[in-house]
Amino acid sequence: MMDDSFTIEYDEYKGDFDLELTMNSGQTSQPPWIKKNDKYYEVLSISDVDVLVEISQDALNSTLDVKYFADDDVNPHLIKDKIKYIFDLDYDVTQVYDYLNKMPELNDVYEFNKGLRLFKAQYPYECIISSICSANNSIKRWTKSIRDIKEHNGKITKFNDEKYYTFPTEHEFLEITSNQLKEYGVGYRDKYMINSTNMILEKEDFHKNIQELSYEEAFKNIMELEGVGPKVADCILLYGYNKHNAYPVDVWINRITSYLYFPNQKVTNKQIMNFAQEKFGEYSGYIQLYLFNFARLSGLMDKLKKQK
């Protein structure tokens, strides 16, 4: 087994990054990575080689320390690229900060979101299943369900006598029975997961095609999957396919956006989505993420709860 290490310095990306905040922000791309002794672990697929990555950061914008383990030779630059993709470090998030500064109603939002980045999926398929599982579900429950799916049906990789698991492929997923999925706590979503998986396999290069489509066309295609409504579709596009235009709208994002832009009005989720596309454009994904976290930490969410 080989092991080595490298760092990702603050000057290698634009904007802020807080690993802990990002990892535990409840984004629906995947469960948080395994945490042990203030370090996070995940198996990444690098040129078809399974690589165990250990990553840690002491504080906001401090150096990211990365150690990796693999049974075969692997290019560390590819590992770094994959990590930067997953945590969106290849995106200039200062553009979002500049946008927030131009909007008086959003001026305070940045202060509650220093270092929060998108937490994108390594595998689009895992994001699809995670997002379907998250619908009308708590973060604690859906993340446990996805972990159970990985640990019972994913590929097992051993590093230093510890077991780690990768999410099953579409073909491997179809070997899981409906009853097993229910045992993992997915409830009525089992059929959605199985049927959507079959739909994905029926189309050649499904993920590549979605990746290459415009946001609008990709949205139409993802909506064809079973159990995928507009909010789940936008989660999938944002975290699974890196489409920053997506603005997932649930009951809380509806209330928060309505509070800021449609006071004393009853606005549908569709209207909120259309409004965000027009007003926020390419910053929609980050604005949605930041608004939710802002409302949660600033007390706005408690205020909105009392109004209902």
Side-chain angles (χ1 to χ4, degrees):
M1 176 183 291
M2 65 167 291
D3 65 86
D4 209 337
S5 61
F6 59 83
T7 60
I8 301 177
E9 305 293 338
Y10 179 50
D11 62 5
E12 293 185 60
Y13 53 89
K14 292 185 178 181
D16 300 319
F17 180 53
D18 187 316
L19 175 65
E20 183 81 13
L21 176 61
T22 299
M23 193 74 78
N24 296 290
S25 53
Q27 301 180 55
T28 61
S29 55
Q30 60 196 296
W33 293 4
I34 300 297
K35 186 177 183 182
K36 299 176 184 177
N37 301 319
D38 295 323
K39 296 179 173 62
Y40 287 96
Y41 296 83
E42 181 62 291
V43 176
L44 303 183
S45 178
I46 308 294
S47 300
D48 295 324
V49 176
D50 288 332
V51 180
L52 175 66
V53 169
E54 172 195 287
I55 184 170
S56 61
Q57 183 190 43
D58 291 335
L60 171 70
N61 294 334
S62 65
T63 298
L64 282 169
D65 294 307
V66 181
K67 189 171 183 179
Y68 63 92
F69 310 82
D71 290 330
D72 298 303
D73 288 338
V74 63
N75 187 335
H77 296 292
L78 296 180
I79 301 174
K80 179 180 283 193
D81 288 346
K82 179 66 73 77
I83 291 171
K84 291 177 75 173
Y85 172 82
I86 289 171
F87 296 107
D88 213 33
L89 299 180
D90 46 7
Y91 177 73
D92 182 2
V93 78
T94 62
Q95 298 175 71
V96 182
Y97 306 160
D98 292 341
Y99 181 87
L100 293 172
N101 286 332
K102 293 175 184 176
M103 299 292 176
E105 73 277 13
L106 301 177
N107 281 172
D108 295 333
V109 170
Y110 167 71
E111 293 302 316
F112 290 87
N113 291 283
K114 290 181 179 178
L116 180 56
R117 293 262 181 167
L118 293 181
F119 180 36
K120 296 184 295 189
Q122 175 180 192
Y123 307 110
Y125 177 63
E126 180 176 6
C127 179
I128 290 172
I129 299 301
S130 294
S131 297
I132 290 174
C133 196
S134 73
N136 301 311
N137 207 353
S138 69
I139 294 173
K140 183 177 180 179
R141 288 185 63 186
W142 79 255
T143 54
K144 182 181 185 304
S145 294
I146 298 301
R147 285 195 192 282
D148 285 347
I149 290 171
K150 289 176 69 170
E151 292 181 8
H152 290 90
N153 303 94
K155 179 182 176 183
I156 302 173
T157 305
K158 281 189 176 182
F159 293 101
N160 297 329
D161 296 324
E162 292 277 348
K163 290 181 180 179
Y164 298 89
Y165 306 87
T166 56
F167 196 78
T169 65
E170 289 89 338
H171 289 287
E172 291 167 344
F173 190 90
L174 290 179
E175 295 177 6
I176 309 172
T177 68
S178 179
N179 286 337
Q180 284 175 312
L181 286 172
K182 283 187 166 64
E183 289 174 3
Y184 304 150
V186 308
Y188 63 87
R189 304 168 190 84
D190 62 317
K191 292 183 176 60
Y192 297 158
M193 294 175 177
I194 293 170
N195 292 342
S196 289
T197 301
N198 278 311
M199 293 171 72
I200 290 168
L201 289 174
E202 286 170 0
K203 297 185 178 181
E204 186 176 356
D205 295 327
F206 178 90
H207 301 298
K208 182 174 183 289
N209 291 335
I210 294 293
Q211 191 75 59
E212 293 175 350
L213 290 172
S214 67
Y215 163 75
E216 292 77 13
E217 288 302 313
F219 184 86
K220 292 177 185 176
N221 278 261
I222 289 294
M223 281 283 290
E224 293 176 2
L225 297 178
E226 194 164 326
V228 173
K231 185 259 184 179
V232 170
D234 265 349
C235 285
I236 291 169
L237 293 177
L238 181 60
Y239 299 117
Y241 298 98
N242 196 31
K243 296 192 182 297
H244 286 208
N245 299 62
Y247 192 80
V249 181
D250 61 6
V251 62
W252 286 110
I253 290 299
N254 184 310
R255 291 177 185 177
I256 295 163
T257 311
S258 296
Y259 172 83
L260 291 171
Y261 295 103
F262 304 97
N264 303 314
Q265 298 180 52
K266 190 170 181 62
V267 187
T268 67
N269 287 357
K270 179 63 175 174
Q271 288 172 310
I272 294 289
M273 285 178 62
N274 291 339
F275 167 80
Q277 293 295 314
E278 183 175 341
K279 187 170 184 65
F280 304 140
E282 65 179 294
Y283 308 130
S284 295
Y286 267 103
I287 298 296
Q288 188 267 8
L289 178 63
Y290 283 7
L291 283 180
F292 184 83
N293 197 52
F294 164 74
R296 185 172 60 87
L297 298 179
S298 68
L300 175 59
M301 193 170 286
D302 292 331
K303 180 179 179 179
L304 295 175
K305 284 179 181 177
K306 292 177 183 177
Q307 291 179 357
K308 296 297 175 180

